[in-house]
Amino acid sequence: MSSAITRRAAGFISACVSATASLAFAGIAQAQEAAPENGVASASLCADAYVLALVDDDTITALSWQVDQPVSSAPPWSRSRPKAWPDAARILALSPAISVFGSGEGGRTARLLDRAGYRTFELAWADDFDGVRDNLRALAAAVQTDHRVDEVIADLDQRLAALAGRTAARSRAPRIAYLSVSGGSAGDGTYVDAAIAAAGGINAVAEQGATGWTRSDPEFALRLDVDIVLTSFFIDGYASTFNRASRHRVYRHLLEHPARADIPAGLWPCAGPRLIDAAEIIADAIDTWERSQ
């Protein structure tokens, strides 16, 4: 009896999946007939930053739903554009010439769109400025804005060179620690580490052997003795039960550090074109700290 019920349930689920797939492909066919492809749609917060850097405003069909969130640094005009997210039905309704996804975010949606003949592009994960350059060049080729990418990369390189000049003029490099609202930090091989290095600082967390993104560790936080504390996502991040650093008293000595610099969350939800802005804010904090010595 139980086996028969199980078989019938499995058959029902299979039929539902088939029906859903049929509806999805029917929607694809209708979208292809209903509207011409136009513009570029960004389906993620990270993709927004790259699209805004390379694509003309009037060619952007949609930006991600996160442009209305505090974690976004998208310009005010973007709030009035249609919103996109990694959902095939939504993107089909927008009918963009190409859809851009953050690293690892295209998934089934991108595969569906690709099979239907819609163009998609997924950013590669980046941990440093070289990765940002690679993503810029790859996306520029995909959206056919090669004429802009050279200017964007040249501006990035000029600003990095200016930071190197500021570093050379300082008496010493300060030890810097990053604290996220979750209580975690960033060790070697992260874009936070890359921004600290570009600004002329020493990542104290990496100095102690940490690699990648670290988890909340109150004992480790208590041992940290640094010149500057970087924070982010405290005032403009997502509300979450995992925001331990905003509540746990162990982190208070870091949050109350006299040389604390808060980096706007929208500058580095990933390693994107605005990572240089974060590095410049860190450099400003270093200059302020040095003047106080």
Side-chain angles (χ1 to χ4, degrees), residues 13-60:
I13 292 170
S14 177
C16 288
V17 170
S18 298
T20 301
S22 298
L23 287 172
F25 283 106
I28 290 172
Q30 290 172 3
Q32 287 175 320
E33 294 174 0
E37 295 179 348
N38 60 89
V40 178
S42 166
S44 81
L45 185 63
C46 186
D48 287 348
Y50 282 93
V51 169
L52 286 165
L54 292 174
V55 180
D56 293 334
D57 297 351
D58 58 0
T59 311
I60 298 175

Side-chain angles (χ1 to χ4, degrees), residues 103-249:
S103 174
E105 295 179 345
R108 182 174 180 274
T109 295
R111 292 193 295 273
L112 265 174
L113 294 173
D114 289 339
R115 288 171 63 185
Y118 279 69
R119 295 179 60 221
T120 63
F121 177 88
E122 185 166 316
L123 295 163
W125 181 257
D127 289 310
D128 52 28
F129 288 99
D130 284 339
V132 173
R133 292 188 193 90
D134 290 343
N135 269 332
L136 284 167
R137 291 191 182 99
L139 179 59
V143 299
Q144 300 178 339
T145 56
D146 300 284
H147 61 290
R148 291 188 60 170
V149 71
D150 290 340
E151 295 177 7
V152 173
I153 291 177
D155 177 70
L156 171 62
D157 291 341
Q158 288 171 8
R159 293 165 71 180
L160 284 170
L163 289 177
R166 293 168 67 178
T167 298
R170 299 190 189 109
S171 58
R172 74 178 181 92
R175 298 177 68 253
I176 301 174
Y178 169 70
L179 176 68
S180 75
V181 71
S182 69
S185 189
D188 183 52
T190 62
Y191 59 78
V192 169
D193 181 64
I196 291 173
I202 296 169
N203 185 351
V205 177
E207 188 181 45
Q208 295 193 29
T211 60
W213 301 94
T214 69
R215 296 182 178 181
S216 175
D217 186 345
E219 291 185 10
F220 181 76
L222 280 173
R223 296 195 304 271
L224 274 178
D225 181 19
V226 296
D227 299 306
I228 298 172
V229 172
L230 299 180
T231 55
S232 200
F233 297 91
F234 278 82
I235 59 176
D236 51 7
Y238 298 108
S240 171
T241 56
F242 294 103
N243 293 352
R244 297 182 181 91
S246 62
R247 301 187 304 273
H248 202 304
R249 65 180 182 178

Side-chain angles (χ1 to χ4, degrees), residues 24 27-29 31-32 35 87-96 112-113 116 118:
I28 290 172
Q32 287 175 320
D87 175 77
R90 176 59 178 167
I91 293 175
L92 287 168
L94 295 167
S95 193
L112 265 174
L113 294 173
Y118 279 69

Side-chain angles (χ1 to χ4, degrees), residues 248-261:
H248 202 304
R249 65 180 182 178
V250 169
Y251 295 102
R252 191 171 301 159
H253 80 287
L254 293 176
L255 296 175
E256 296 176 352
H257 195 286
R260 173 187 170 188

Side-chain angles (χ1 to χ4, degrees), residues 58-74:
D58 58 0
T59 311
I60 298 175
T61 298
L63 291 171
S64 79
W65 61 274
Q66 291 170 301
V67 297
D68 288 330
Q69 303 295 316
V71 291
S72 174
S73 60

